[in-house]
Amino acid sequence: MIRPKALKKGDTIGLISASGATPPEKLQPAIASIEKLGLKVVVGETCHARHGYLAGADDVRAADVHRMFGDPTIDGIFCIRGGYGATKILAQLDFELIRANPKVFAGYSDVTALHIAFQQLCGFVTYHTPMPSTEFIRQEMDDYTWQSFRQQIMDNDKTSFYLENPSNQPMSTLVSGNATGQLIGGNLTLITASLGTPYEIDTRGKILFLEDVDETQQRVDRMLTQLKLAGKFDDAAGILLGAWTNCGPENLQRPEHSLSLHMIFQEILVPLGKPIIAEMACGHCLPTMSLPLGRTISMDADNQRIHVIE
């Protein structure tokens, strides 16, 4: 697995959206937030475009991805936001072009579709990180989140380090044990949507990270059940669970008619007997951890230790 060259001050970032349209009032603040890191910004066409809920038509979004990977003056690529639409452009992407030009590629949520494709079809590490128009511009974007982001994209030449929660947010153990494997995953909805397609996630011998937002407990149950029936948990070496933001009962008036996320995890995941660490500060939350997807990690579930290794 190729690890793209770390970014440094003075490097140029290609800013794109492969998914949803960017609210116009958020574009300039997003650019300024990247420039504060000492990076230059080239704004892709998709940051200005709108096609309904998409950041331009499918061919426009695919072309922006190609432009940023193919341009030798672009050192890294940040997705300005998530939303919906990355899956729609997968069949239009030139993976040979992308494979020949590995660069820091950062984003999360809907961007999960691209993370999976770039790791499996292009063979390079990508980064599950907060994004310029959704987190960078928020006043509550905290020091922990910034430090974790910079550690991954501007100090990613380290051969060994730990992925740690903020000191006041302990992780927890659902199933004890140890595992080593390639870190993969991201948003549960996007991972489930990959099943049955040419871009289906490969979990064999890997450590699967999952998070989601605005999905009811019943939908989380359904998606985890689908992954289980597809054998994706049987194939995995271990499981990491991040934030489940606004993932509550479908009927807020009768929460007793739902199953808590803890019960869902206990019923679907725990019987697998795979090491599981829960409550990672990562996903649609602040503070949030950035992850080097594609790197090899070792997990010690008993002590909630996640070690990125060479």
Side-chain angles (χ1 to χ4, degrees), residues 21-68:
T22 303
E25 70 276 9
K26 292 187 176 182
L27 179 56
Q28 287 306 318
I31 295 169
S33 70
I34 300 171
E35 292 174 338
K36 287 180 181 178
L37 294 170
L39 301 168
K40 302 173 185 176
V41 181
V42 171
V43 179
E45 181 180 351
T46 51
C47 294
H48 300 284
R50 178 177 287 277
H51 177 63
Y53 41 75
L54 301 167
D58 295 350
D59 58 342
V60 172
R61 300 195 320 284
D64 234 11
V65 173
H66 293 152
R67 174 195 173 193
M68 298 305 181

Side-chain angles (χ1 to χ4, degrees), residues 10 78 97 109 180 221 255 279 287-288 290 293 301-302 304:
F78 292 176
L97 167 70
S109 194
T180 298
D221 186 326
E279 299 183 73
T288 192
S290 292
L293 298 174
D302 298 87
Q304 300 95 47

Side-chain angles (χ1 to χ4, degrees), residues 188-266:
L188 173 62
T189 299
L190 272 297
I191 291 169
T192 307
S194 77
L195 299 182
T197 75
Y199 314 99
E200 179 171 323
I201 192 168
D202 179 359
T203 62
R204 290 173 294 181
K206 300 175 183 179
I207 295 176
L208 178 62
F209 167 75
L210 299 171
E211 65 83 33
D212 219 318
V213 62
D214 295 335
E215 297 290 348
T216 65
Q217 292 158 341
Q218 181 175 314
R219 292 184 197 137
V220 171
D221 186 326
R222 183 174 64 230
M223 289 186 284
L224 291 177
T225 298
Q226 186 173 354
L227 290 180
K228 182 176 182 178
L229 292 174
K232 296 304 177 180
F233 296 131
D234 291 333
D235 290 343
I239 300 169
L240 302 174
L241 299 175
W244 302 89
T245 305
N246 297 330
C247 293
E250 188 161 1
N251 186 347
L252 296 177
Q253 305 304 316
R254 301 298 297 271
E256 70 275 12
H257 288 182
S258 186
L259 295 174
S260 69
L261 289 177
H262 180 73
M263 293 175 67
I264 292 168
F265 298 153
Q266 287 289 330

Side-chain angles (χ1 to χ4, degrees), residues 71-89:
D71 186 342
T73 69
I74 302 294
D75 301 294
I77 302 166
F78 292 176
C79 293
I80 190 170
R81 61 157 300 176
Y84 168 72
T87 303
K88 289 170 64 66
I89 69 171

